[in-house]
Amino acid sequence: MFELLSEPIRRYVREQHWDGLRPIQSASIQKVMQSEDNLILASRTASGKTEAAFLPILSRVDFSEAGVQVLYISPLIALINDQFFRVEELCKHLDVPVTKWHGEASQTLKNRLVKDPRGVVLITPESIEAMLVNSEYKAKGLFSNLKFIVIDEIHAFLGTDRGKQLQSLIFRLRQLNKGNVRVIGLSATIGSFDQAKDMAGPENTTKILLDPNGKEIETDFKYFEQGNLSELPLALIKDLYLNVCNNKVLVFPNARGTAEEVAVKLHRLSEKVGGHPHYYSHHSCVNKEWREYIEEFAKNNERFPFTIACTSTLELGIDIGSVDKVVQINATHSIAGLIQRIGRSGRRNNETSKLSLYATDPWNLLQGLACMTLFKREKFVEPIEYTEKPYDILLHQALALIRQFSECTQDELIHKLSVNAAFKHITVDEIKEIVQHLQQTDMLEFIGGKLIIGVEGEKITNSKDFFSVFQTETYFRVQVQDKPIGEIPLTHFTTVDQNILLAAKIWKIIDIDIPAKKITVIPAMDGKKPVFAGSGSGEVHPRIRREMLKLLIEDNVEMPPLSDDAKEAIRQLRLEFEYYKIEDFEVDRPLKVQVKEMFWYSFQGTRINSTLSFLFKAAGIDHEWWDVESKFRFATGNFELIVQQAMKVYDDLDSHLVKKVLNDPTELSFSKFGHHLPFKYQVLLVKDKRYDFAGAMDFLSTVNISQVNVLPQP
DNA sequence: GACCTGCTGCGGCTTG
């Protein structure tokens, strides 16, 4: 395939002294050079996907033409800054200019590009939106002669509101171009590629190039019971310290507060025993400059071991070099996330990836095991959940289109929305109803036969917050003297004289300036982890819960290596379930009946559990539920009857939903623009995005109860 | 009892 590349690019490849082209690179070179297809390149992290896309693109495109030829879209500014150096290095051989275009990029360089639009541009979806909305002429000058759009980390967009917006933006960009614009998506291995194909273009124009080879994964599972403690057990911290102190390690504790706790405690232990000082925390609330310093340290340092306690900020493709080992504290909610995290270790060739999982309760241990066994046995990764009718994103795009074109007739607007591939499942009548509602609520105004932005619409579209479709909370800046160290939400725990952990250090709050949203701190000796108010929407797929049941019931199940304590925790949990007759893991479910209450284990995914709870509540059945255990508590009674009553709710589902959405405004809190929709569509959005009624009903109609009566000991 | 992501244009200021 090497011969297909242009001479300057071949020279570049020779200068790199690579052993040869990777499989994904060869496949991509052939398809980019010899077909007109859109492509999805899927392979594990650090397998050279960026080069796989850019080597043939740079070989094929004629950069002497006016206008930007290649648009690279990334979900993160940090990734753009990272990739800029690699792409620029490639482009040097061709004298092709590369420009960063995002909110923090140089205005001067952007202006220079507008005057002489050429080469490659690296951009975020929000910056594309801003440009189309505020200055369409600029977008036309820059992007009306595009040949390729490259979407990096496309899996980060799939199934999300931001992904729908991006799909619509790609459609709007294609409308500026007369010629064909090819889309190339770069992806980690994911469960299904239909959504990725859908984003790239019309059906049958997109080919998937998949390199399924992963690295060997070495795991060990440990168990340290936390019980009712609000902190991690001391024994866990001590064991963890011995595990990490001589290695380069990422620790993922699933929460920002716990990341701080881990970083501070390891650091303190290390100080006591005379170990190294390189213990850091890295998450969204740590000051950006400090985060960049940590990333640089990890990337450039060869000699020193280090440990970074982090959240999903270090899960995506930012290059932090080689890590020896990954530690996960308690289970991830998805297999996709687990594999992505594990993939950060052993990045040099031929090294295996290493994972230690520390569980602090038996159900988390079981869920972690289930994720691992499912992946190892079947290579199972969750399919991508998506909304067929994203009415809220359509509303946002309707306002954006009116801003983009200043004015248009109602028919023009409806047409622009209905032909947009992002909204292909929403009918013309539905679009019409939403557009008319926007006029009734002064979001749009009808003047001289044309629609323009109305008084209420101005308030929304004039804010710089308009360009993104996701919500954000307000945080208070935390600073010591005048140096910023990060930010935290203001909760009732945040008071003067309180001590908090942030950026792997302990601080005492000495002042809170509410109007300025500023908290001043000084160093302290001791403190509690900060409280971040979580919204709690991590969803576990039903397949994982079914695997958990299987691990509890089946004899001679194959398990990865477990510590003695972990073995014992699993043994105890299996004992609790040994008397249930479970043969079909899809439908047989345990019911434990006691004198006053009974417990039903659904072993279902989070979304179905939450839908079941909705149905029980609507049927007037008192209950409580816990997702990790997928356990429901009822008063002792006839369970068959409970199932029947819950299923009956479905006959009159819409009126129950209407009641729920009317009485509980938080039902729609997942959507930034949803409350501007006609009420009917707010209900439909809640029905589709929050719940899975089809799945829940299917489960209730087939579930088979295995009952065990537990009587009090005499 | 999750996590993460991004941001125009303009006026007026300081600094090299």
Side-chain angles (χ1 to χ4, degrees):
Chain A
M1 290 312 137
F2 184 69
E3 312 75 52
L4 292 175
L5 298 171
S6 69
E7 178 46 35
I9 295 296
R10 273 188 276 175
R11 191 170 353 117
Y12 168 84
V13 173
R14 278 191 298 258
E15 281 170 14
Q16 303 306 304
H17 304 294
W18 292 338
D19 297 338
L21 294 171
R22 300 263 174 78
I24 196 77
Q25 294 170 337
S26 297
S28 165
I29 290 170
Q30 199 238 321
K31 283 287 178 193
V32 172
M33 298 304 287
Q34 300 187 319
S35 81
E36 297 302 320
D37 297 331
N38 298 314
L39 301 171
I40 305 297
L41 311 183
S43 64
R44 61 174 176 79
T45 29
S47 58
K49 286 193 289 275
T50 312
E51 287 77 10
F54 274 95
L55 295 177
I57 287 176
L58 296 175
S59 291
R60 203 179 154 162
V61 171
D62 175 6
F63 284 94
S64 64
E65 285 186 35
V68 173
Q69 303 295 307
V70 181
L71 190 60
Y72 161 100
I73 304 174
S74 151
L76 304 174
I77 288 179
L79 195 56
I80 288 181
N81 297 341
D82 220 47
Q83 296 283 44
F84 174 74
F85 295 105
R86 297 170 74 185
V87 177
E88 202 186 36
E89 192 62 36
L90 273 161
C91 288
K92 255 187 208 154
H93 293 250
L94 301 160
D95 193 28
V96 172
V98 183
T99 311
K100 289 188 269 188
W101 192 296
H102 56 65
E104 295 168 14
S106 150
Q107 196 63 54
T108 318
L109 295 179
K110 288 187 205 167
N111 291 340
R112 198 174 294 168
L113 182 75
V114 173
K115 280 187 197 127
D116 179 21
R118 293 199 308 128
V120 179
V121 165
L122 317 182
I123 199 166
T124 60
E126 287 74 17
S127 282
I128 301 174
E129 185 74 87
M131 198 192 298
L132 287 171
V133 159
N134 284 332
S135 35
E136 206 217 3
Y137 67 94
K138 223 185 250 179
K140 265 191 180 150
L142 289 167
F143 302 142
S144 61
N145 194 19
L146 284 176
K147 301 300 184 300
F148 284 94
I149 293 177
V150 178
I151 308 174
D152 205 353
E153 307 270 7
I154 193 172
H155 55 275
F157 291 112
L158 301 178
T160 69
D161 289 346
R162 207 176 173 207
K164 265 293 151 202
Q165 179 192 24
L166 177 58
Q167 189 183 1
S168 171
L169 287 168
I170 288 169
F171 190 85
R172 286 159 69 193
L173 284 173
R174 278 199 164 116
Q175 303 255 294
L176 298 180
N177 283 267
K178 287 198 189 70
N180 181 31
V181 185
R182 293 173 68 183
V183 171
I184 299 188
L186 313 183
S187 172
T189 321
I190 50 175
S192 55
F193 287 98
D194 292 354
Q195 290 303 299
K197 278 178 141 177
D198 208 35
M199 184 162 326
E203 266 176 88
N204 304 324
T205 61
T206 307
K207 300 273 183 305
I208 309 285
L209 304 182
L210 170 68
D211 178 358
N213 293 318
K215 288 196 167 185
E216 280 294 305
I217 301 174
E218 226 179 277
T219 60
D220 63 296
F221 285 75
K222 304 191 178 198
Y223 184 71
F224 294 89
E225 185 150 312
Q226 183 161 356
N228 292 327
L229 286 173
S230 62
E231 295 185 12
L232 293 169
L234 186 61
L236 185 153
I237 297 288
K238 285 183 175 164
D239 189 280
L240 180 59
Y241 178 75
L242 294 174
N243 203 345
V244 303
C245 64
N246 292 319
N247 291 306
K248 298 174 182 173
V249 185
L250 297 183
V251 182
F252 289 95
N254 289 346
R256 290 170 287 194
T258 319
E260 291 298 343
E261 183 190 347
V262 168
V264 165
K265 286 184 174 170
L266 289 177
H267 191 213
R268 200 156 36 180
L269 194 52
S270 184
E271 233 169 25
K272 240 184 226 166
V273 300
H276 72 75
H278 306 297
Y279 292 88
Y280 305 108
S281 67
H282 189 290
H283 52 81
S284 65
C285 291
V286 174
N287 181 45
K288 190 166 174 166
E289 278 68 40
W290 184 235
R291 274 158 72 177
E292 284 166 2
Y293 168 81
I294 296 168
E295 290 159 23
E296 280 300 306
F297 178 85
K299 184 154 68 173
N300 297 327
N301 127 77
E302 286 291 322
R303 285 171 52 208
F304 302 109
F306 62 81
T307 294
I308 308 175
C310 57
T311 60
S312 45
T313 46
L314 287 184
E315 201 176 288
L316 279 182
I318 300 161
D319 182 15
I320 54 156
S322 161
V323 167
D324 307 322
K325 185 181 264 196
V326 167
V327 173
Q328 174 67 41
I329 297 183
N330 283 323
T332 53
H333 81 269
S334 76
I335 296 175
L338 180 66
I339 299 311
Q340 189 87 3
R341 288 174 182 189
I342 293 175
R344 306 244 59 164
S345 79
R347 289 169 65 96
R348 286 195 215 99
N349 275 333
N350 306 323
E351 277 178 24
T352 53
S353 293
K354 291 196 187 93
L355 170 83
S356 297
L357 188 136
Y358 286 75
T360 61
D361 74 87
W363 287 93
N364 253 299
L365 176 62
L366 185 66
Q367 187 172 314
L369 278 168
C371 288
M372 212 56 237
T373 54
L374 252 182
F375 183 75
K376 284 214 163 167
R377 194 179 62 232
E378 299 174 23
K379 289 261 187 268
F380 177 83
V381 179
E382 296 85 357
I384 288 161
E385 299 276 340
Y386 69 100
T387 314
E388 281 211 331
K389 300 192 172 201
Y391 299 114
D392 48 350
I393 307 304
L394 177 123
L395 182 143
H396 175 259
Q397 290 294 290
L399 294 172
L401 282 168
I402 297 281
R403 279 283 306 253
Q404 178 176 345
F405 298 105
S406 304
E407 54 167 41
C408 60
T409 67
Q410 179 167 307
D411 285 349
E412 280 167 354
L413 177 62
I414 291 169
H415 177 73
K416 282 180 202 298
L417 290 166
S418 64
V419 294
N420 191 316
F423 311 119
K424 65 180 174 190
H425 295 292
I426 302 181
T427 66
V428 173
D429 286 341
E430 289 176 320
I431 297 173
K432 200 179 266 176
E433 215 174 326
I434 292 169
V435 168
Q436 280 167 356
H437 178 80
L438 287 176
Q439 292 170 59
Q440 285 155 18
T441 52
D442 291 332
M443 297 280 278
L444 298 179
E445 201 175 328
F446 190 65
I447 286 183
K450 302 266 190 173
L451 287 174
I452 59 166
I453 295 288
V455 182
E456 294 301 313
E458 285 288 345
K459 290 182 197 160
I460 297 166
T461 60
N462 269 341
S463 150
K464 64 175 184 173
D465 198 36
F466 177 66
F467 310 118
S468 67
V469 292
F470 49 85
Q471 308 245 50
T472 44
E473 311 159 73
T474 352
Y475 291 108
F476 277 50
R477 282 176 296 132
V478 179
Q479 52 188 56
V480 54
Q481 289 167 337
D482 284 330
K483 224 179 77 199
I485 53 175
E487 50 186 28
I488 56 170
L490 201 67
T491 66
H492 52 275
F493 298 105
T494 327
T495 52
V496 171
D497 280 342
Q498 263 293 344
N499 288 6
I500 56 163
L501 313 186
L502 192 60
K505 293 196 174 65
I506 309 166
W507 311 96
K508 179 190 275 295
I509 299 177
I510 54 166
D511 184 57
I512 300 178
D513 183 343
I514 291 187
K517 298 201 180 78
K518 196 178 81 181
I519 295 172
T520 309
V521 297
I522 53 171
M525 293 306 291
D526 207 355
K528 289 205 179 82
K529 61 182 175 188
V531 178
F532 294 98
S535 54
S537 63
E539 288 190 359
V540 177
H541 192 269
R543 201 65 186 72
I544 295 174
R545 293 277 157 74
R546 213 190 303 156
E547 183 73 9
M548 288 164 72
L549 179 61
K550 198 174 161 189
L551 291 177
L552 283 180
I553 299 295
E554 237 177 18
D555 291 326
N556 310 317
V557 283
E558 208 178 305
M559 289 210 204
L562 301 174
S563 73
D564 288 346
D565 288 346
K567 268 184 207 150
E568 177 58 19
I570 292 294
R571 196 184 70 86
Q572 292 284 347
L573 210 51
R574 282 173 62 100
L575 278 180
E576 277 186 47
F577 287 84
E578 69 177 338
Y579 296 112
Y580 298 96
K581 188 164 166 284
I582 307 286
E583 279 157 1
D584 184 339
F585 296 115
E586 294 233 15
V587 293
D588 296 347
R589 291 295 181 269
L591 178 71
K592 178 164 80 181
V593 179
Q594 298 175 345
V595 177
K596 285 191 174 153
E597 51 190 15
M598 58 184 188
F599 295 95
W600 176 55
Y601 293 85
S602 71
F603 286 97
Q604 268 298 351
T606 308
R607 187 180 287 231
I608 288 185
N609 282 341
S610 129
T611 310
L612 290 169
S613 172
F614 177 98
L615 293 173
F616 294 141
K617 201 169 173 197
I621 300 161
D622 258 348
H623 70 283
E624 264 192 293
W625 67 288
W626 297 265
D627 191 52
V628 192
E629 296 150 79
S630 40
K631 177 169 83 173
F632 289 75
R633 181 172 71 195
F634 305 95
T636 298
N638 182 344
F639 190 74
E640 297 288 325
L641 198 64
I642 289 179
V643 170
Q644 279 172 26
Q645 284 172 322
M647 288 180 71
K648 235 180 142 197
V649 169
Y650 193 71
D651 297 340
D652 199 15
L653 179 61
D654 289 339
S655 76
H656 286 288
L657 272 165
V658 164
K659 241 183 273 169
K660 178 87 171 155
V661 178
L662 268 179
N663 294 332
D664 184 358
T666 64
E667 282 288 311
L668 202 64
S669 61
F670 60 83
S671 171
K672 187 164 166 185
F673 300 100
H675 59 281
H676 297 297
L677 285 166
F679 182 71
K680 171 178 148 190
Y681 291 99
Q682 297 184 18
V683 175
L684 286 171
L685 207 57
V686 168
K687 183 178 180 178
D688 190 25
K689 273 201 184 175
R690 273 183 80 96
Y691 300 107
D692 177 4
F693 288 101
M697 287 300 288
D698 192 38
F699 177 59
L700 286 179
S701 63
T702 52
V703 69
N704 190 17
I705 297 304
S706 165
Q707 182 171 334
V708 168
N709 297 321
V710 182
L711 298 168
Q713 299 291 326

